[in-house]
Amino acid sequence: MDFNLTQEQSQFADALRRWVEKDYNFEQRKHIIASDAGVSPSAWTALAELGALALPIPEAQGGFSGTAIDMLVIMQELGRGLVIEPYFATVLAAEFLKLAGQHDHLLEQVASGELQMAAALNEKQARHELFNIATSASQNADGFVINGVKTVVLHGAQAGQLIVSARSSGAQRDSDGISLFVLDANAAGISRREYRSIDGYRAADITFNQVQLPSSALLVTQGAGWPLLEAGCDYGVTLLCAEAIGVMEAIFAATLDYLKTRQQFGVPIGKFQVLQHRMAEMFMELEQARSMATLAAVKLSSEDAEERRRTVSAAKARIGQAARYIGQQAVQLHGGMGVTNELPAAHMFKRLTMIELSLGDTDHHLARFIAQPGFKAAA
Amino acid sequence: MDLNYNTEDLSFRDQVRSYLETNLPADLKHKVLQHKRLHKEDYVRWHKILAKQGWVATGWPTEFGGTGWSATRRHIFEEECARAGTPPILPFGVAMVAPVIMAFGNQAQKDYFLPRILNCDDWWCQGYSEPGSGSDLASIKTRAERVNSLEGDHYVVNGQKTWTTLAQHADMIFCLVRTDTGVRKQEGISFLLIDMKTPGITVRPIIMLDEDHEVNEVFFDNVKVPVQNLIGDENKGWTYAKYLLGHERTNIAAVGRAKRELQFLKRYASEQQKNAASLLSDPIYASKVAVLEIELMALEITVLRVISQDSGRPGPEASLLKIKGTEIQQRLTELMMEAAGPYSLPFDAAFLDGESEHSIVGDDDAAPLASYYFNYRKTSIYGGSNEIQKNIITQMILGL
Ligand SMILES: Cc1cc2nc3c(=O)[nH]c(=O)nc-3n(C[C@H](O)[C@H](O)[C@H](O)COP(=O)(O)OP(=O)(O)OC[C@H]3O[C@@H](n4cnc5c(N)ncnc54)[C@H](O)[C@@H]3O)c2cc1C
């Protein structure tokens, strides 16, 4: 067994961290959030130059064929730096193309940094259920026509291309009958309403009104998209878990530092045993979470889909709990400082909270873990 | 033992309830029930309505214009207000500085300030905490030096307060200031009332997690305060401050509000779907709500037990109420946000501020929930953090 990073992975991480420190610090980030665009074109160029965009893309499409473990390293750094660029959205969407083995030219554009993408999967009534899809895809002579509304699509307004889940047949909650498409985000009939999310990201609600797609937009056999949808989102969950580890590392370090420097009653507050124990709990939460993020990244490529689902959901559930505990306690230990928007730790807390609610919350993944046949078989 | 209210209490409750039904303006009620941000006018308006009825100062004796109600009646009143969705009566004037003025102020101070507090003519804020003095409040450094002059004796105040809630609206601030540096830290503190319009005072906003402007830094640069604004004796301020802290913790359990929020939570969760059924019938989620509801039931009875001992002022058991009350409030906001799921992400300040009628994503119930959750992290920090409250329990009750 080997838990060490390769030299290449460490170099990648170092390079990203240096970039964040130099060009993406807390003040710079604040300006990006407040800007009209809500994202930074120069940050995007930097990410491309650092190779972060090429990393997950296959070599054949100009990428580095990076593994999920490689991506763990990247996402941790982006998490630590609270980077709010459409990186996750783009990489998640690209994963669907990769898994489908299609649209190589789009993957090439992602690798080079030309294209940003987003995955429009969520619907209002669905909460966390990916298969709960009302958006319809009906076939016609020219291909498919899409109608429906996707909600809280992360960086949906920045994307040049979208991955969209839609229903070809079946009832609203059937996993059969789901189709997946890739389409131009500016196609006729698409309207996007953008807004800020509370953790500083941009998201959008996207309405599809009689959007005509060519047949080539279909990613896998019509109506048989569910396995691909699940696999792609498991990749996304794994990335979010990794990001959460980075954020937790940063907020943990900031809190530890605060305990050593903040003085009350003539001593650093870290001298109070109740706070020491709280910090020890946070430390253990972080280590358990780190183990699960690593496990998920390793098992993501498992041949056995059940093993993948089981591990990814276990990781999201465990990391969700750690994120909540660490986030809340970090704020508490900072006292009044913890609830001000001026403190980076407060933004880390917000990001952790939103990661927990994205792509299935803790309860959702616990239920999914329980629902895997192996859970009861082991009894 | 009888855990029911007696008939007089029940008819009192009905009286309050019907009063609120006719007198609470619908727009204020809507804002409160929708978890929207309240503005200065909202607080003042409700305060003045209640003042007309003579129901603002539920904890004051009648001689000063209070209701003179028993603790049980106050509890019923607070519960009814919470149930109806009234804006809160801010504590800084009525519940904090007024009891100190009554107990330790001179006649002129009582005559001038108390009626103005009753009628909300002055907006008060609390100047205790400083950047270096939070939990260790007695270490405050803001200096007040007494100067004799022809125009009358005054103090010159220099220093900084922080976390001052809603000071941006304030007419008056009550401050702990250091008047003697040569003695034990608790012994050199005085209690001063300062007009916020005095030259030399600067208020700088602190923006909270939910991006609302709720607290401030207040800077004092050679601020002249007439000696008439000193409460009681110089260097006795710590005694008064401790007296006040006891008052700050009444109704801190906020059981009435928690009961209302529990109803909101259940209603909202029952409208959300999970597994083709209501979220409230999902066993994992429902059991979390049930655990919370039971905790709240227990707290309500604990509050009533404390009240029935009615010693006039809450003792160290107030710490228990503060901790449990805030834990329940925080948990409520957590479960609300969970119920909203991804729909708590969109941030819509215009909607929260009442500038637009509906939220961008079209779920007006969900829109404020993440902000609410983030904002309520404060409750375990302010008013003496929950760690400090546990220290009080271990020392004052357990004798450890
Ligand atoms: C929203 C908000 C509104 C406020 N409004 C006002 C106001 O209007 N007026 C005003 O004067 N103040 C106000 N406060 C200030 C509030 O009273 C302080 O924040 C509080 O006393 C904690 O102080 P601190 O923030 O300096 O934290 P610190 O005292 O630095 O505490 C940091 C951490 O250390 C812990 N800690 C400290 N000492 C001990 C100990 N001995 N044992 C164990 N743990 C310990 C604390 O519990 C906390 O977790 C407000 C605060 C907030 C957040």
mmCIF file of all heavy atoms in Angstrom, chain A residues 123-124 127 129 151 173 193 196-198 262 264-265 278 324 328 332 339 341 350 363, chain B residues 131-132 134-136 207 209 211 275 288 334 338-339 343 345 347 360 373 380 387:
data_model
loop_
_atom_site.group_PDB
_atom_site.id
_atom_site.type_symbol
_atom_site.label_atom_id
_atom_site.label_comp_id
_atom_site.label_asym_id
_atom_site.label_seq_id
_atom_site.Cartn_x
_atom_site.Cartn_y
_atom_site.Cartn_z
ATOM 1 N N GLU A 123 -33.398 19.377 -10.838
ATOM 2 C CA GLU A 123 -34.707 20.009 -11.045
ATOM 3 C C GLU A 123 -35.342 20.312 -9.697
ATOM 4 O O GLU A 123 -35.030 19.676 -8.700
ATOM 5 C CB GLU A 123 -35.615 19.092 -11.881
ATOM 6 C CG GLU A 123 -35.054 18.868 -13.272
ATOM 7 C CD GLU A 123 -36.010 18.120 -14.190
ATOM 8 O OE1 GLU A 123 -37.178 17.928 -13.810
ATOM 9 O OE2 GLU A 123 -35.564 17.746 -15.291
ATOM 10 N N LYS A 124 -36.261 21.244 -9.729
ATOM 11 C CA LYS A 124 -36.842 21.743 -8.488
ATOM 12 C C LYS A 124 -37.431 20.636 -7.619
ATOM 13 O O LYS A 124 -37.192 20.556 -6.427
ATOM 14 C CB LYS A 124 -37.918 22.795 -8.823
ATOM 15 C CG LYS A 124 -38.664 23.349 -7.624
ATOM 16 C CD LYS A 124 -37.783 24.286 -6.783
ATOM 17 C CE LYS A 124 -38.488 24.752 -5.518
ATOM 18 N NZ LYS A 124 -38.224 23.943 -4.340
ATOM 19 N N ARG A 127 -35.018 17.626 -5.440
ATOM 20 C CA ARG A 127 -34.079 17.775 -4.315
ATOM 21 C C ARG A 127 -32.779 17.053 -4.651
ATOM 22 O O ARG A 127 -32.023 17.558 -5.461
ATOM 23 C CB ARG A 127 -34.681 17.310 -2.999
ATOM 24 C CG ARG A 127 -35.638 18.351 -2.413
ATOM 25 C CD ARG A 127 -36.161 17.988 -1.044
ATOM 26 N NE ARG A 127 -35.218 18.266 0.015
ATOM 27 C CZ ARG A 127 -34.618 17.342 0.750
ATOM 28 N NH1 ARG A 127 -34.828 16.067 0.559
ATOM 29 N NH2 ARG A 127 -33.791 17.705 1.697
ATOM 30 N N GLU A 129 -32.552 13.779 -5.859
ATOM 31 C CA GLU A 129 -32.724 12.585 -6.713
ATOM 32 C C GLU A 129 -32.384 12.882 -8.166
ATOM 33 O O GLU A 129 -33.107 13.598 -8.851
ATOM 34 C CB GLU A 129 -34.182 12.094 -6.634
ATOM 35 C CG GLU A 129 -34.581 11.579 -5.275
ATOM 36 C CD GLU A 129 -36.076 11.262 -5.189
ATOM 37 O OE1 GLU A 129 -36.831 11.598 -6.129
ATOM 38 O OE2 GLU A 129 -36.479 10.678 -4.172
ATOM 39 N N THR A 151 -32.522 23.549 -12.487
ATOM 40 C CA THR A 151 -32.320 24.580 -11.460
ATOM 41 C C THR A 151 -30.985 24.444 -10.757
ATOM 42 O O THR A 151 -30.405 23.359 -10.689
ATOM 43 C CB THR A 151 -33.439 24.489 -10.392
ATOM 44 O OG1 THR A 151 -33.515 23.162 -9.932
ATOM 45 C CG2 THR A 151 -34.771 24.919 -10.948
ATOM 46 N N ARG A 173 -39.968 9.518 -11.901
ATOM 47 C CA ARG A 173 -38.911 9.011 -11.026
ATOM 48 C C ARG A 173 -38.322 7.686 -11.517
ATOM 49 O O ARG A 173 -37.651 6.993 -10.749
ATOM 50 C CB ARG A 173 -39.434 8.882 -9.591
ATOM 51 C CG ARG A 173 -39.845 10.216 -8.976
ATOM 52 C CD ARG A 173 -40.312 10.086 -7.541
ATOM 53 N NE ARG A 173 -39.244 9.728 -6.621
ATOM 54 C CZ ARG A 173 -39.079 8.527 -6.079
ATOM 55 N NH1 ARG A 173 -39.888 7.544 -6.393
ATOM 56 N NH2 ARG A 173 -38.092 8.309 -5.238
ATOM 57 N N ARG A 193 -31.106 32.178 -16.285
ATOM 58 C CA ARG A 193 -31.203 33.251 -15.306
ATOM 59 C C ARG A 193 -30.136 33.007 -14.243
ATOM 60 O O ARG A 193 -30.180 32.037 -13.506
ATOM 61 C CB ARG A 193 -32.580 33.276 -14.672
ATOM 62 C CG ARG A 193 -32.810 34.569 -13.902
ATOM 63 C CD ARG A 193 -34.218 34.635 -13.419
ATOM 64 N NE ARG A 193 -34.645 33.291 -13.022
ATOM 65 C CZ ARG A 193 -35.844 33.006 -12.539
ATOM 66 N NH1 ARG A 193 -36.738 33.930 -12.439
ATOM 67 N NH2 ARG A 193 -36.143 31.784 -12.172
ATOM 68 N N ARG A 196 -26.169 34.649 -7.755
ATOM 69 C CA ARG A 196 -25.050 34.274 -6.884
ATOM 70 C C ARG A 196 -25.519 33.224 -5.910
ATOM 71 O O ARG A 196 -26.660 33.248 -5.474
ATOM 72 C CB ARG A 196 -24.635 35.502 -6.074
ATOM 73 C CG ARG A 196 -23.420 36.208 -6.581
ATOM 74 C CD ARG A 196 -23.059 37.280 -5.569
ATOM 75 N NE ARG A 196 -22.793 36.639 -4.281
ATOM 76 C CZ ARG A 196 -22.731 37.290 -3.126
ATOM 77 N NH1 ARG A 196 -22.941 38.571 -3.087
ATOM 78 N NH2 ARG A 196 -22.465 36.648 -2.025
ATOM 79 N N SER A 197 -24.624 32.341 -5.531
ATOM 80 C CA SER A 197 -24.962 31.455 -4.427
ATOM 81 C C SER A 197 -24.312 32.018 -3.173
ATOM 82 O O SER A 197 -23.427 32.874 -3.231
ATOM 83 C CB SER A 197 -24.504 30.028 -4.704
ATOM 84 O OG SER A 197 -23.105 29.952 -4.718
ATOM 85 N N ILE A 198 -24.758 31.551 -2.037
ATOM 86 C CA ILE A 198 -24.355 32.190 -0.786
ATOM 87 C C ILE A 198 -22.874 31.983 -0.479
ATOM 88 O O ILE A 198 -22.285 32.710 0.307
ATOM 89 C CB ILE A 198 -25.253 31.731 0.386
ATOM 90 C CG1 ILE A 198 -25.062 32.635 1.598
ATOM 91 C CG2 ILE A 198 -25.013 30.279 0.727
ATOM 92 C CD1 ILE A 198 -26.234 32.714 2.522
ATOM 93 N N ARG A 262 -5.094 34.184 19.908
ATOM 94 C CA ARG A 262 -6.138 34.960 20.589
ATOM 95 C C ARG A 262 -5.985 34.821 22.111
ATOM 96 O O ARG A 262 -5.981 33.717 22.636
ATOM 97 C CB ARG A 262 -7.515 34.446 20.155
ATOM 98 C CG ARG A 262 -8.694 35.017 20.938
ATOM 99 C CD ARG A 262 -8.909 36.474 20.650
ATOM 100 N NE ARG A 262 -10.130 36.983 21.292
ATOM 101 C CZ ARG A 262 -10.411 38.286 21.376
ATOM 102 N NH1 ARG A 262 -9.578 39.186 20.871
ATOM 103 N NH2 ARG A 262 -11.516 38.683 21.960
ATOM 104 N N GLN A 264 -7.415 35.638 25.902
ATOM 105 C CA GLN A 264 -8.473 36.063 26.825
ATOM 106 C C GLN A 264 -8.069 35.585 28.209
ATOM 107 O O GLN A 264 -7.456 34.521 28.348
ATOM 108 C CB GLN A 264 -9.830 35.468 26.438
ATOM 109 C CG GLN A 264 -10.483 36.108 25.208
ATOM 110 C CD GLN A 264 -10.907 37.559 25.418
ATOM 111 O OE1 GLN A 264 -11.979 37.871 25.889
ATOM 112 N NE2 GLN A 264 -10.020 38.483 25.040
ATOM 113 N N PHE A 265 -8.421 36.319 29.210
ATOM 114 C CA PHE A 265 -8.064 35.986 30.597
ATOM 115 C C PHE A 265 -6.549 35.809 30.753
ATOM 116 O O PHE A 265 -6.085 34.951 31.506
ATOM 117 C CB PHE A 265 -8.804 34.713 31.059
ATOM 118 C CG PHE A 265 -10.308 34.802 30.949
ATOM 119 C CD1 PHE A 265 -10.981 34.227 29.874
ATOM 120 C CD2 PHE A 265 -11.050 35.486 31.909
ATOM 121 C CE1 PHE A 265 -12.358 34.324 29.751
ATOM 122 C CE2 PHE A 265 -12.444 35.580 31.800
ATOM 123 C CZ PHE A 265 -13.089 34.998 30.719
ATOM 124 N N ARG A 278 -12.072 20.148 21.727
ATOM 125 C CA ARG A 278 -12.836 20.441 20.519
ATOM 126 C C ARG A 278 -11.927 20.347 19.295
ATOM 127 O O ARG A 278 -12.284 19.767 18.277
ATOM 128 C CB ARG A 278 -13.435 21.836 20.629
ATOM 129 C CG ARG A 278 -14.677 22.089 19.845
ATOM 130 C CD ARG A 278 -15.922 21.536 20.503
ATOM 131 N NE ARG A 278 -16.145 22.100 21.817
ATOM 132 C CZ ARG A 278 -16.721 23.283 22.028
ATOM 133 N NH1 ARG A 278 -17.123 24.012 21.022
ATOM 134 N NH2 ARG A 278 -16.914 23.694 23.253
ATOM 135 N N ARG A 324 -19.597 19.535 8.490
ATOM 136 C CA ARG A 324 -20.494 20.302 9.343
ATOM 137 C C ARG A 324 -19.869 20.527 10.713
ATOM 138 O O ARG A 324 -19.877 21.637 11.239
ATOM 139 C CB ARG A 324 -21.833 19.595 9.487
ATOM 140 C CG ARG A 324 -22.796 20.489 10.220
ATOM 141 C CD ARG A 324 -24.200 20.038 10.240
ATOM 142 N NE ARG A 324 -24.789 19.771 8.934
ATOM 143 C CZ ARG A 324 -26.076 19.456 8.800
ATOM 144 N NH1 ARG A 324 -26.858 19.385 9.845
ATOM 145 N NH2 ARG A 324 -26.573 19.210 7.606
ATOM 146 N N GLN A 328 -18.768 24.288 11.842
ATOM 147 C CA GLN A 328 -19.468 24.932 12.964
ATOM 148 C C GLN A 328 -18.511 25.219 14.122
ATOM 149 O O GLN A 328 -18.569 26.283 14.734
ATOM 150 C CB GLN A 328 -20.614 24.038 13.456
ATOM 151 C CG GLN A 328 -21.744 23.929 12.448
ATOM 152 C CD GLN A 328 -22.908 23.082 12.953
ATOM 153 O OE1 GLN A 328 -22.796 22.373 13.950
ATOM 154 N NE2 GLN A 328 -24.019 23.146 12.253
ATOM 155 N N GLN A 332 -17.364 28.704 15.951
ATOM 156 C CA GLN A 332 -17.556 28.864 17.391
ATOM 157 C C GLN A 332 -16.246 29.255 18.092
ATOM 158 O O GLN A 332 -16.229 30.139 18.945
ATOM 159 C CB GLN A 332 -18.105 27.558 17.979
ATOM 160 C CG GLN A 332 -18.422 27.602 19.465
ATOM 161 C CD GLN A 332 -19.607 28.508 19.797
ATOM 162 O OE1 GLN A 332 -20.423 28.796 18.941
ATOM 163 N NE2 GLN A 332 -19.670 28.971 21.030
ATOM 164 N N VAL A 339 -18.231 34.896 12.850
ATOM 165 C CA VAL A 339 -19.466 35.170 12.107
ATOM 166 C C VAL A 339 -19.367 36.411 11.217
ATOM 167 O O VAL A 339 -20.369 36.903 10.719
ATOM 168 C CB VAL A 339 -20.706 35.283 13.036
ATOM 169 C CG1 VAL A 339 -21.003 33.935 13.674
ATOM 170 C CG2 VAL A 339 -20.525 36.350 14.089
ATOM 171 N N ASN A 341 -18.074 38.322 7.769
ATOM 172 C CA ASN A 341 -17.726 38.013 6.391
ATOM 173 C C ASN A 341 -16.291 38.404 6.051
ATOM 174 O O ASN A 341 -15.803 38.112 4.980
ATOM 175 C CB ASN A 341 -18.706 38.748 5.462
ATOM 176 C CG ASN A 341 -19.139 37.889 4.314
ATOM 177 O OD1 ASN A 341 -19.263 36.678 4.461
ATOM 178 N ND2 ASN A 341 -19.364 38.509 3.170
ATOM 179 N N LYS A 350 -18.916 28.568 4.830
ATOM 180 C CA LYS A 350 -20.025 28.630 3.886
ATOM 181 C C LYS A 350 -19.825 27.623 2.743
ATOM 182 O O LYS A 350 -20.753 26.940 2.339
ATOM 183 C CB LYS A 350 -20.193 30.048 3.337
ATOM 184 C CG LYS A 350 -20.718 31.010 4.395
ATOM 185 C CD LYS A 350 -21.296 32.266 3.773
ATOM 186 C CE LYS A 350 -20.250 33.340 3.607
ATOM 187 N NZ LYS A 350 -20.869 34.646 3.241
ATOM 188 N N ASP A 363 -27.729 12.720 4.264
ATOM 189 C CA ASP A 363 -28.829 11.758 4.380
ATOM 190 C C ASP A 363 -29.050 11.007 3.068
ATOM 191 O O ASP A 363 -29.327 9.805 3.057
ATOM 192 C CB ASP A 363 -30.136 12.477 4.756
ATOM 193 C CG ASP A 363 -30.139 12.875 6.226
ATOM 194 O OD1 ASP A 363 -29.149 12.585 6.926
ATOM 195 O OD2 ASP A 363 -31.138 13.481 6.660
ATOM 196 N N PRO B 131 -12.230 44.778 20.965
ATOM 197 C CA PRO B 131 -11.472 43.786 20.194
ATOM 198 C C PRO B 131 -10.699 42.819 21.103
ATOM 199 O O PRO B 131 -10.647 41.628 20.840
ATOM 200 C CB PRO B 131 -10.520 44.642 19.359
ATOM 201 C CG PRO B 131 -11.233 45.942 19.206
ATOM 202 C CD PRO B 131 -12.014 46.146 20.470
ATOM 203 N N GLY B 132 -10.149 43.323 22.171
ATOM 204 C CA GLY B 132 -9.370 42.455 23.049
ATOM 205 C C GLY B 132 -10.163 41.887 24.209
ATOM 206 O O GLY B 132 -9.618 41.140 25.024
ATOM 207 N N GLY B 134 -13.666 40.030 24.945
ATOM 208 C CA GLY B 134 -14.937 39.408 24.607
ATOM 209 C C GLY B 134 -15.410 38.621 25.813
ATOM 210 O O GLY B 134 -16.094 39.146 26.698
ATOM 211 N N SER B 135 -14.991 37.373 25.877
ATOM 212 C CA SER B 135 -15.330 36.547 27.041
ATOM 213 C C SER B 135 -14.737 37.143 28.310
ATOM 214 O O SER B 135 -15.348 37.114 29.370
ATOM 215 C CB SER B 135 -14.801 35.128 26.846
ATOM 216 O OG SER B 135 -15.382 34.557 25.704
ATOM 217 N N ASP B 136 -13.555 37.683 28.172
ATOM 218 C CA ASP B 136 -12.887 38.320 29.317
ATOM 219 C C ASP B 136 -13.261 39.800 29.337
ATOM 220 O O ASP B 136 -12.433 40.676 29.104
ATOM 221 C CB ASP B 136 -11.374 38.134 29.164
ATOM 222 C CG ASP B 136 -10.603 38.738 30.336
ATOM 223 O OD1 ASP B 136 -11.225 39.074 31.363
ATOM 224 O OD2 ASP B 136 -9.370 38.874 30.202
ATOM 225 N N ILE B 207 -19.787 43.373 8.464
ATOM 226 C CA ILE B 207 -20.762 42.594 7.709
ATOM 227 C C ILE B 207 -20.662 41.134 8.156
ATOM 228 O O ILE B 207 -19.578 40.574 8.254
ATOM 229 C CB ILE B 207 -20.513 42.741 6.194
ATOM 230 C CG1 ILE B 207 -20.590 44.230 5.791
ATOM 231 C CG2 ILE B 207 -21.521 41.921 5.403
ATOM 232 C CD1 ILE B 207 -21.893 44.921 6.127
ATOM 233 N N LEU B 209 -21.648 36.920 8.220
ATOM 234 C CA LEU B 209 -21.665 35.766 7.316
ATOM 235 C C LEU B 209 -22.750 35.795 6.245
ATOM 236 O O LEU B 209 -22.534 35.413 5.112
ATOM 237 C CB LEU B 209 -21.977 34.527 8.157
ATOM 238 C CG LEU B 209 -20.880 33.711 8.762
ATOM 239 C CD1 LEU B 209 -21.499 32.625 9.606
ATOM 240 C CD2 LEU B 209 -20.038 33.115 7.667
ATOM 241 N N GLU B 211 -24.042 38.367 5.064
ATOM 242 C CA GLU B 211 -23.894 39.641 4.349
ATOM 243 C C GLU B 211 -24.859 40.709 4.833
ATOM 244 O O GLU B 211 -25.114 41.685 4.128
ATOM 245 C CB GLU B 211 -23.979 39.449 2.824
ATOM 246 C CG GLU B 211 -22.901 38.490 2.345
ATOM 247 C CD GLU B 211 -22.765 38.408 0.839
ATOM 248 O OE1 GLU B 211 -23.212 39.330 0.153
ATOM 249 O OE2 GLU B 211 -22.183 37.416 0.379
ATOM 250 N N ASN B 275 -38.174 10.336 -1.991
ATOM 251 C CA ASN B 275 -38.714 8.996 -2.240
ATOM 252 C C ASN B 275 -40.200 9.028 -2.560
ATOM 253 O O ASN B 275 -40.957 8.190 -2.076
ATOM 254 C CB ASN B 275 -38.505 8.100 -1.013
ATOM 255 C CG ASN B 275 -37.156 7.448 -1.057
ATOM 256 O OD1 ASN B 275 -36.620 7.194 -2.141
ATOM 257 N ND2 ASN B 275 -36.588 7.205 0.109
ATOM 258 N N LYS B 288 -34.861 13.071 13.077
ATOM 259 C CA LYS B 288 -34.110 14.260 13.512
ATOM 260 C C LYS B 288 -35.062 15.345 14.013
ATOM 261 O O LYS B 288 -34.794 16.003 15.014
ATOM 262 C CB LYS B 288 -33.246 14.810 12.363
ATOM 263 C CG LYS B 288 -32.128 13.847 11.966
ATOM 264 C CD LYS B 288 -31.056 14.508 11.140
ATOM 265 C CE LYS B 288 -31.414 14.619 9.699
ATOM 266 N NZ LYS B 288 -30.259 14.934 8.840
ATOM 267 N N GLU B 334 -30.721 24.488 10.926
ATOM 268 C CA GLU B 334 -29.979 23.457 10.209
ATOM 269 C C GLU B 334 -30.946 22.532 9.464
ATOM 270 O O GLU B 334 -30.741 22.212 8.293
ATOM 271 C CB GLU B 334 -29.230 22.643 11.275
ATOM 272 C CG GLU B 334 -27.823 22.287 10.941
ATOM 273 C CD GLU B 334 -27.133 21.668 12.151
ATOM 274 O OE1 GLU B 334 -27.282 22.188 13.286
ATOM 275 O OE2 GLU B 334 -26.448 20.655 11.963
ATOM 276 N N GLU B 338 -31.486 21.904 5.468
ATOM 277 C CA GLU B 338 -31.447 20.553 4.903
ATOM 278 C C GLU B 338 -32.695 20.270 4.085
ATOM 279 O O GLU B 338 -32.631 19.620 3.038
ATOM 280 C CB GLU B 338 -31.353 19.509 6.025
ATOM 281 C CG GLU B 338 -29.954 19.283 6.526
ATOM 282 C CD GLU B 338 -29.921 18.211 7.618
ATOM 283 O OE1 GLU B 338 -30.748 17.286 7.599
ATOM 284 O OE2 GLU B 338 -29.060 18.325 8.507
ATOM 285 N N ALA B 339 -33.829 20.740 4.588
ATOM 286 C CA ALA B 339 -35.078 20.483 3.867
ATOM 287 C C ALA B 339 -35.059 21.180 2.510
ATOM 288 O O ALA B 339 -35.536 20.645 1.521
ATOM 289 C CB ALA B 339 -36.277 20.952 4.687
ATOM 290 N N TYR B 343 -31.763 24.243 -2.896
ATOM 291 C CA TYR B 343 -32.449 25.524 -3.101
ATOM 292 C C TYR B 343 -32.118 26.543 -2.030
ATOM 293 O O TYR B 343 -32.615 27.669 -2.060
ATOM 294 C CB TYR B 343 -33.957 25.291 -3.250
ATOM 295 C CG TYR B 343 -34.116 24.371 -4.401
ATOM 296 C CD1 TYR B 343 -34.243 22.996 -4.209
ATOM 297 C CD2 TYR B 343 -33.937 24.848 -5.695
ATOM 298 C CE1 TYR B 343 -34.230 22.131 -5.282
ATOM 299 C CE2 TYR B 343 -33.929 23.991 -6.766
ATOM 300 C CZ TYR B 343 -34.070 22.633 -6.554
ATOM 301 O OH TYR B 343 -34.020 21.783 -7.615
ATOM 302 N N LEU B 345 -28.966 27.353 -1.745
ATOM 303 C CA LEU B 345 -27.750 27.978 -2.284
ATOM 304 C C LEU B 345 -27.955 29.382 -2.858
ATOM 305 O O LEU B 345 -27.151 30.269 -2.585
ATOM 306 C CB LEU B 345 -27.110 27.099 -3.365
ATOM 307 C CG LEU B 345 -25.996 26.143 -2.925
ATOM 308 C CD1 LEU B 345 -26.571 24.890 -2.299
ATOM 309 C CD2 LEU B 345 -25.121 25.757 -4.105
ATOM 310 N N PHE B 347 -28.452 33.079 -3.446
ATOM 311 C CA PHE B 347 -28.411 34.184 -2.486
ATOM 312 C C PHE B 347 -29.081 35.393 -3.104
ATOM 313 O O PHE B 347 -28.651 35.892 -4.128
ATOM 314 C CB PHE B 347 -26.963 34.500 -2.119
ATOM 315 C CG PHE B 347 -26.853 35.637 -1.151
ATOM 316 C CD1 PHE B 347 -27.325 35.490 0.139
ATOM 317 C CD2 PHE B 347 -26.300 36.844 -1.527
ATOM 318 C CE1 PHE B 347 -27.245 36.528 1.044
ATOM 319 C CE2 PHE B 347 -26.208 37.898 -0.617
ATOM 320 C CZ PHE B 347 -26.683 37.730 0.661
ATOM 321 N N ILE B 360 -35.529 34.976 -6.550
ATOM 322 C CA ILE B 360 -35.123 34.669 -7.933
ATOM 323 C C ILE B 360 -35.490 33.251 -8.337
ATOM 324 O O ILE B 360 -35.929 33.021 -9.434
ATOM 325 C CB ILE B 360 -33.581 34.755 -8.141
ATOM 326 C CG1 ILE B 360 -32.902 35.409 -6.952
ATOM 327 C CG2 ILE B 360 -33.251 35.396 -9.470
ATOM 328 C CD1 ILE B 360 -31.415 35.286 -7.003
ATOM 329 N N TYR B 373 -29.505 30.116 8.732
ATOM 330 C CA TYR B 373 -28.583 29.148 9.364
ATOM 331 C C TYR B 373 -27.254 29.817 9.695
ATOM 332 O O TYR B 373 -26.753 29.714 10.812
ATOM 333 C CB TYR B 373 -28.370 27.965 8.413
ATOM 334 C CG TYR B 373 -27.223 27.054 8.797
ATOM 335 C CD1 TYR B 373 -27.343 26.165 9.864
ATOM 336 C CD2 TYR B 373 -26.018 27.074 8.093
ATOM 337 C CE1 TYR B 373 -26.297 25.326 10.216
ATOM 338 C CE2 TYR B 373 -24.974 26.237 8.439
ATOM 339 C CZ TYR B 373 -25.111 25.367 9.500
ATOM 340 O OH TYR B 373 -24.062 24.541 9.852
ATOM 341 N N SER B 380 -24.731 31.054 19.752
ATOM 342 C CA SER B 380 -23.919 30.334 20.738
ATOM 343 C C SER B 380 -22.646 31.111 21.085
ATOM 344 O O SER B 380 -21.835 30.663 21.878
ATOM 345 C CB SER B 380 -23.580 28.928 20.224
ATOM 346 O OG SER B 380 -23.036 28.990 18.923
ATOM 347 N N GLU B 387 -19.591 28.196 25.805
ATOM 348 C CA GLU B 387 -18.500 27.662 26.632
ATOM 349 C C GLU B 387 -18.464 28.390 27.974
ATOM 350 O O GLU B 387 -18.291 27.775 29.028
ATOM 351 C CB GLU B 387 -17.151 27.818 25.918
ATOM 352 C CG GLU B 387 -16.924 26.850 24.754
ATOM 353 C CD GLU B 387 -17.646 27.255 23.485
ATOM 354 O OE1 GLU B 387 -18.067 28.427 23.371
ATOM 355 O OE2 GLU B 387 -17.804 26.400 22.585
#
